[in-house]
Amino acid sequence: MSKSKKMVYFFGNGKAEGTAKMKEMLGGKGANLAEMTNLGVPVPGGFTITTETCAAYDKAGGKWPVGLKKQVEDNLKKLEKAMKASFGDHDSPLLVSVRSGAAVSMPGMMDTVLNLGLNDKVVDGIIAKTGNARFAYDSYRRFIDMFGDVVMGCDHEHFEHAIGGLKKQRGVKDDTDLTADDLKELVKLYKAVYKKHVGKTFPQDPIKQMELSINAVFGSWNSSRAVKYRELNNITGLKGTAVNVQAMVFGNMGDDCGTGVCFTRNPSTGEKEYYGEFLMNAQGEDVVAGIRTPVPMIELNKVNTKIYKQLTGLMDKLEKHYKDMQDIEFTIQQNKLYILQTRSGKRTAEAAMRCAVEMVGEKLIDKKVAVSRIEPAQIDQLLHPHLDSKAKRQVIATGLPASPGAAVGQVVFNAEDAEAWKARGKDVLLVRIETSPEDIGGMDAAKGILTQRGGMTSHAAVVARGMGRCCVAGASDIEISYAKKQMKAGARIIKEGDWITLDGTRGEVLLGQLPLVEPKMSGNFAKLMSWADEIRKLGVRTNADTPEDAIRARAFGAEGIGLCRTEHMFFEGDRIWAVRQMILSADVYADLRDKIVKLEEQGDLEADQKKELAGLKKEFKVPQAEFEGALKKLLPYQRKDFVGIFTAMAGLPVTIRLLDPPLHEFLPQDAKSQKEMARRLKVKPAEVQAKVEDLHEFNPMLGHRGCRLSVTYPEIARMQARAIMEAAIIVAKKRKKVLPEIMIPLVGAVSELVFVKKHIIDEIEKVFKEKKTKVAYMVGTMIEVPRAALTADEIATEAEFFSFGTNDLTQMGMGFSRDDAGKFLGEYTELGIYEKDPFQSLDQMGIGRLVDLGIQLGREINPKLKVGICGEHGGDPSSIEFCHEVGMNYVSCSPFRVPIARLAAAQAVLAEQK
């Protein structure tokens, strides 16, 4: 980085060098501080060090780029002039905060230092100037604590232990009960804690304090919690964090001072109201960290009407300017209001929907902006259950309704246990006295979060709302013991592993496991989704194997079924025994059948050949009866399944995939179950065991499955084709439109498709002849073998549609075993080898090229070829954008992801228009 490179941008006295458009360089916080300054909002002056500088610092191994020190010193002089105060001065001291601020908001994930510039000399000067010794020592002890913890790695708990001991000694409960002399003594105790754990005396040079604090904020960009947050929220491509150095204003100088956080609309519901919390005689971290339970913002009107009116006026001004709900931090210092920051407020999905829809009604934004403003993944919040209103509720504690929804789980008391229990398949609720950024992994693992302390804008509340987790905060009537791994609610003890239920909408903690109710789309959700439907070009189907799934998906807006997995039906009830009977007889059946066909195809046979043929046919009767008898048992089951699905999806296309998995998946693998199978099917256990061993494959995902089964056993494909068409005819006779699409899986060569398709069509023609009626249908294939994508032009001569099975295409194209790659793919994404897990989000550079090529080759033969995707990627927003770009007709995903896909498809169009 050259000496002339500008690394520091100033704001103050109504003018700023930056603007809101400079988020990439100044971070969201710095850009908004500059913007507010230019708008005439009362913002304490300061300067911002750019995100590029953070990247340069990191690249240089923790060293400042050439020229940064001078630029910081020059801007510090500007700030001193603007604030009419001097850094480290006894008579007129300037104190500053040092805060992080990335281009994308990451609340609480990076470091902040307040009250910087305090030392023994400055504290004496503040006392002389203000006559408020308590304020001076309170600020100083806070600074030593925060600097020691954030900058020098001396854990906050050590300082908490010191203040706890002093309060006990003085016989007081709250920090505010400590006198000025008590706080003076506490400063000495804190200095001793610092020296013991850091190994040095607390630094008295303010410039040194600032340099170390800037380094700490730079370093926090790559802290484990910040990296985890970016990983969980798919935040990529950022250079680093900006550093904001800003003049301090104080909310803890007395009763005419205060601090708070407010939102221009309710972040939980989206209601247009002045929403927030504040504390008088407090500093900002008291509100957001949950150290003290704050007061609702409306009460400020009673405490100081003038400040309340000024604040609400600024809230209106900022929302109108930014055209979005704002999250604002403010401080009142001696009856003067200061705005410390504004940003687009984190909100629940319900609130996001309501804000977007109502802002369109207010003509603040248009429909396209409204649609683009909702995060597709956020919709999950609206699709999760809530508590059944008829359930008997035994409330054991109440708190604040910090994040709506409901969750049922077993109690755990730390983040590590939450992650470990989830990994074992358990549903957990994370219970903490108060959460901190280090808890981010456990909060993500938990179904819901309960805290003893904290308000509606505490860390737990903000993060839970962003994640879509149910949260009850500030449940002060519970007592938590980490040592005993239990909490006390009244006279009741809840231990680790006990079941409770959280109602985040009411702020209630309930005993036991309460039933949950499935959500429904309506109101603002339905209106915004209708706008998305007007914009999007991609169709959205669902992956559904049952009528129940189909009905649910249709209610969520699915326009058909893109993948109906027929094998899932084989496991239901007694039909598994027919499947197993078929498998036991399959090899002998196929072997004898092929020998008979071969002889019959020879035409005129010699006497010995006729005798051989007769013997084969006789021998064939038993396995034929067993194999074809099993298929006859399965036929009515399959037909009934398809009748249900066609009825649920009447008028919409239904793509049915023929049997795909290898046959060994239908057989029991343990000895006890194998004996039971032998007993049920009246064969010897050794015969079952032999069949299991015979079907064993070293890599079954690349083995005898998909269309390969249909090549060996075309009778299975025929049975399924017959079931599909008989069901279609039954439903069509009820005057319901049926659009069946038969999909042949795992095709790698057009000759495979030709072989299986011939059997399918032949069987369908027989059904039409028998029933004396016809139903229109299509036969297509899944493109999931790389060779199929590379020879898609050949395959398109036979297939009427393509559906990309990107789960298997990813597996085969990248050489990853889906079952085993999970052990190391997390490390791959952490190291940046792959940006995302390719099984969750499509690898567009590699597998995406196969998909794009397959579509191009297929449409060279058939320009109207219908193309979709039915892997897990069909519900992933970034993969959906890719599907739009390459010209697919539709995506197909699980029912609960249908609304996400609808929104993501619309946003893909809007992204293209930019």
Side-chain angles (χ1 to χ4, degrees):
M1 191 174 284
S2 66
K3 291 183 181 180
S4 60
K5 178 79 174 179
K6 188 171 179 63
M7 293 175 272
V8 183
Y9 288 72
F10 187 77
F11 57 89
N13 283 345
K15 292 182 180 179
E17 295 177 326
T19 69
K21 294 178 181 178
M22 297 172 68
K23 280 189 178 182
E24 292 297 320
M25 181 178 287
L26 302 181
K29 187 175 294 183
N32 284 331
L33 286 169
E35 187 79 1
M36 286 194 293
T37 301
N38 290 328
L39 282 171
V41 174
V43 175
F47 54 88
T48 301
I49 304 172
T50 66
T51 58
E52 291 177 343
T53 310
C54 176
Y57 170 88
D58 189 46
K59 188 176 181 181
K63 292 181 181 178
W64 284 23
V66 174
L68 177 59
K69 184 169 178 145
K70 185 176 188 308
Q71 289 189 36
V72 168
E73 289 172 352
D74 290 347
N75 280 275
L76 183 58
K77 287 175 184 175
K78 281 188 191 177
L79 182 59
E80 288 176 326
K81 187 177 179 181
M83 300 304 293
K84 298 177 181 176
S86 298
F87 207 41
D89 186 70
H90 175 276
D91 297 324
S92 186
L94 171 68
L95 302 184
V96 299
S97 63
V98 179
R99 302 172 187 258
S100 61
V104 177
S105 177
M106 296 169 56
M109 292 302 118
M110 291 178 291
D111 288 337
T112 294
V113 181
L114 304 178
N115 303 329
L116 194 145
L118 278 170
N119 58 22
D120 295 347
K121 182 177 77 170
V122 169
V123 165
D124 290 340
I126 290 174
I127 294 171
K129 185 177 181 180
T130 66
N132 191 336
R134 192 188 185 287
F135 155 70
Y137 287 120
D138 185 41
S139 298
Y140 197 14
R141 68 93 182 174
R142 288 172 184 268
F143 175 48
I144 296 168
D145 179 348
M146 188 172 279
F147 185 88
D149 180 26
V150 169
V151 180
M152 305 306 295
C154 177
D155 200 289
H156 171 67
E157 289 183 7
H158 300 309
F159 297 105
E160 277 292 296
H161 182 73
I163 192 173
L166 184 64
K167 285 194 289 188
K168 188 174 181 181
Q169 193 180 87
R170 297 292 192 266
V172 299
K173 181 181 178 183
D174 297 322
D175 298 1
T176 50
D177 295 328
L178 293 171
T179 66
D181 287 338
D182 293 336
L183 292 170
K184 184 177 182 180
E185 177 66 22
L186 187 60
V187 166
K188 292 179 182 177
L189 293 173
Y190 274 16
K191 284 182 179 178
V193 167
Y194 182 95
K195 187 172 183 180
K196 178 181 177 181
H197 293 281
V198 176
K200 299 177 184 177
T201 56
F202 184 77
Q204 295 293 305
D205 179 3
I207 296 295
K208 187 65 178 175
Q209 293 173 0
M210 179 183 286
E211 289 177 356
L212 289 170
S213 297
I214 290 170
N215 289 350
V217 174
F218 278 154
S220 70
W221 174 251
N222 287 318
S223 67
S224 58
R225 67 177 186 258
V227 170
K228 183 80 171 179
Y229 185 89
R230 293 197 293 274
E231 180 186 313
L232 291 172
N233 291 278
N234 290 321
I235 298 172
T236 59
L238 302 185
K239 295 170 184 174
T241 180
V243 179
N244 299 287
V245 178
Q246 189 175 17
M248 285 289 300
V249 287
F250 296 94
N252 62 332
M253 291 178 70
D255 292 337
D256 59 352
C257 304
T259 189
V261 176
C262 58
F263 294 81
T264 55
R265 301 186 188 223
N266 187 312
S268 287
T269 67
E271 183 179 353
K272 190 174 182 181
E273 61 174 339
Y274 300 127
Y275 179 94
E277 298 170 321
F278 75 100
L279 283 168
M280 298 307 288
N281 197 16
Q283 279 202 303
E285 75 267 24
D286 293 338
V287 177
V288 298
I291 293 168
R292 288 167 57 188
T293 300
V295 180
M297 181 186 160
I298 191 67
E299 296 296 316
L300 181 60
N301 195 26
K302 299 176 183 176
V303 175
N304 192 323
T305 303
K306 182 181 176 182
I307 291 291
Y308 179 79
K309 287 182 177 178
Q310 184 187 2
L311 176 61
T312 53
L314 287 169
M315 290 169 75
D316 292 340
K317 180 177 183 176
L318 289 169
E319 180 177 277
K320 189 174 181 180
H321 178 76
Y322 286 103
K323 300 183 185 301
D324 195 7
M325 182 187 89
Q326 294 299 292
D327 170 359
I328 300 165
E329 291 182 19
F330 65 91
T331 287
I332 305 162
Q333 178 178 292
Q334 295 175 319
N335 289 322
K336 185 174 181 181
L337 177 67
Y338 293 91
I339 303 298
L340 305 185
Q341 84 161 11
T342 190
R343 60 189 176 193
S344 291
K346 296 286 182 185
R347 65 206 81 175
T348 64
E350 179 188 355
M353 289 286 178
R354 182 169 179 177
C355 287
V357 171
E358 291 188 356
M359 284 180 179
V360 170
E362 295 163 18
K363 294 184 168 49
L364 199 60
I365 59 175
D366 61 25
K367 290 179 182 180
K368 288 183 177 180
V369 172
V371 168
S372 67
R373 193 163 277 176
I374 308 299
E375 287 290 330
Q378 210 180 18
I379 292 178
D380 265 341
Q381 294 180 29
L382 295 180
L383 306 180
H384 292 307
H386 57 271
L387 291 180
D388 187 343
S389 59
K390 298 175 184 176
K392 187 177 180 182
R393 304 165 70 101
Q394 187 175 352
V395 179
I396 58 173
T398 57
L400 300 171
S403 188
V408 179
Q410 293 175 275
V411 169
V412 294
F413 292 92
N414 63 64
E416 293 78 11
D417 285 345
E419 292 183 79
W421 284 43
K422 183 191 177 184
R424 298 201 299 270
K426 295 179 180 289
D427 290 341
V428 297
L429 300 179
L430 180 61
V431 178
R432 301 286 287 163
I433 295 173
E434 60 197 16
T435 63
S436 69
E438 281 74 19
D439 293 324
I440 185 73
M443 296 174 79
D444 179 58
K447 293 286 185 182
I449 299 147
L450 169 64
T451 67
Q452 182 177 333
R453 296 202 294 244
M456 297 291 283
T457 52
S458 65
H459 175 267
V462 171
V463 174
R465 283 197 293 268
M467 286 182 164
R469 297 290 184 276
C470 159
C471 179
V472 176
S476 57
D477 46 355
I478 64 172
E479 295 177 22
I480 297 170
S481 169
Y482 291 152
K484 295 179 181 178
K485 288 194 173 183
Q486 67 177 40
M487 72 174 186
K488 190 176 180 182
R492 191 178 297 278
I493 302 293
I494 305 295
K495 297 181 179 179
E496 181 183 65
D498 287 350
W499 288 87
I500 62 170
T501 299
L502 299 181
D503 186 340
T505 306
R506 295 190 187 184
E508 294 179 346
V509 184
L510 305 111
L511 189 66
Q513 299 169 260
L514 271 68
L516 302 177
V517 176
E518 297 293 335
K520 293 179 181 178
M521 291 190 298
S522 60
N524 293 322
F525 189 109
K527 184 174 286 188
L528 192 131
M529 294 309 297
S530 71
W531 296 343
D533 291 340
E534 290 171 12
I535 296 168
R536 67 181 167 91
K537 296 177 182 177
L538 274 172
V540 177
R541 300 192 192 184
T542 190
N543 301 341
D545 311 328
T546 67
E548 293 75 24
D549 281 347
I551 291 167
R552 182 183 292 116
R554 192 162 188 169
F556 284 149
E559 298 163 322
I561 291 178
L563 175 63
C564 175
R565 307 172 186 89
T566 55
E567 62 271 8
H568 287 186
M569 304 167 179
F570 285 3
F571 286 99
E572 290 185 20
D574 288 339
R575 65 182 75 180
I576 187 62
W577 297 108
V579 175
R580 289 173 175 174
Q581 178 188 325
M582 176 190 75
I583 293 170
L584 276 182
S585 58
D587 284 347
V588 176
Y589 170 84
D591 182 56
L592 292 171
R593 177 204 63 202
D594 292 346
K595 287 178 180 178
I596 291 168
V597 170
K598 189 175 180 181
L599 281 170
E600 288 180 335
E601 285 176 348
Q602 290 182 23
D604 293 335
L605 300 178
E606 300 292 336
D608 59 336
Q609 290 177 317
K610 289 180 180 179
K611 185 177 180 182
E612 181 186 356
L613 180 59
L616 288 171
K617 286 184 176 181
K618 184 177 180 182
E619 188 182 353
F620 186 53
K621 285 182 179 179
V622 173
Q624 182 182 29
E626 291 176 349
F627 185 82
E628 294 180 0
L631 291 178
K632 285 178 182 177
K633 289 179 185 177
L634 288 170
L635 176 63
Y637 287 128
Q638 289 262 274
R639 184 171 55 231
K640 183 180 178 183
D641 292 330
F642 297 138
V643 166
I645 288 170
F646 287 143
T647 300
M649 280 290 170
L652 298 175
V654 176
T655 305
I656 299 169
R657 183 180 71 186
L658 300 185
L659 187 63
D660 182 52
L663 294 180
H664 76 85
E665 289 192 9
F666 298 100
L667 298 182
Q669 301 301 306
D670 62 283
K672 184 179 179 182
S673 299
Q674 287 172 6
K675 285 181 181 178
E676 172 61 14
M677 176 177 164
R679 186 189 67 78
R680 286 285 298 259
L681 299 183
K682 297 179 178 152
V683 297
K684 294 178 181 178
E687 188 177 340
V688 175
Q689 187 178 354
K691 177 56 69 175
V692 171
E693 291 172 359
D694 181 56
L695 290 177
H696 172 74
E697 294 175 309
F698 287 109
N699 194 337
M701 289 299 99
L702 299 180
H704 198 203
R705 54 172 285 233
C707 69
R708 300 161 192 173
L709 281 173
S710 295
V711 168
T712 305
Y713 310 114
E715 295 84 355
I716 298 176
R718 281 178 172 271
M719 180 275 291
Q720 292 195 296
R722 174 173 283 273
I724 291 166
M725 280 306 147
E726 288 182 352
I729 289 168
I730 290 169
V731 176
K733 283 183 176 179
K734 296 177 182 176
R735 296 188 177 181
K736 293 185 177 180
K737 192 173 182 180
V738 185
L739 300 168
E741 299 175 351
I742 300 173
M743 184 159 66
I744 300 169
L746 215 73
V747 165
V750 69
S751 51
E752 290 175 309
L753 179 58
V754 169
F755 182 91
V756 180
K757 181 181 173 184
K758 180 182 177 183
H759 281 279
I760 289 171
I761 292 175
D762 183 62
E763 192 67 28
I764 290 172
E765 289 302 317
K766 288 181 181 178
V767 172
F768 289 166
K769 190 174 180 180
E770 291 168 12
K771 304 297 181 183
K772 297 178 182 178
T773 188
K774 290 188 176 184
V775 171
Y777 67 95
M778 298 175 75
V779 178
T781 187
M782 287 184 83
I783 305 292
E784 50 193 332
V785 176
R787 190 182 188 279
L790 297 170
T791 61
D793 49 346
E794 293 182 0
I795 291 173
T797 62
E798 294 290 337
E800 296 177 89
F801 65 87
F802 285 175
S803 180
F804 282 86
T806 48
N807 297 346
D808 272 322
L809 192 60
T810 296
Q811 182 168 234
M812 297 184 207
M814 299 186 77
F816 287 143
S817 164
R818 203 171 6 156
D819 297 326
D820 300 314
K823 296 173 184 175
F824 59 84
L825 275 178
E827 185 180 4
Y828 265 50
T829 55
E830 285 174 15
L831 293 172
I833 294 172
Y834 286 116
E835 187 178 318
K836 298 175 183 176
D837 182 335
F839 289 108
Q840 294 179 14
S841 189
L842 188 68
D843 166 41
Q844 296 178 21
M845 288 298 293
I847 305 305
R849 289 187 180 182
L850 282 174
V851 172
D852 192 15
L853 178 64
I855 294 171
Q856 289 181 42
L857 291 174
R859 286 187 173 153
E860 283 176 9
I861 302 301
N862 178 5
K864 295 183 179 180
L865 181 72
K866 184 159 62 173
V867 180
I869 185 174
C870 62
E872 288 300 311
H873 303 107
D876 169 63
S878 66
S879 304
I880 291 167
E881 184 174 4
F882 171 81
C883 293
H884 168 79
E885 290 169 355
V886 296
M888 285 192 186
N889 299 96
Y890 69 87
V891 298
S892 188
C893 55
S894 62
F896 280 99
R897 295 195 73 80
V898 166
I900 296 172
R902 290 165 64 194
L903 183 62
Q907 291 181 348
V909 174
L910 297 176
E912 191 176 53
Q913 292 174 353
K914 283 185 179 179

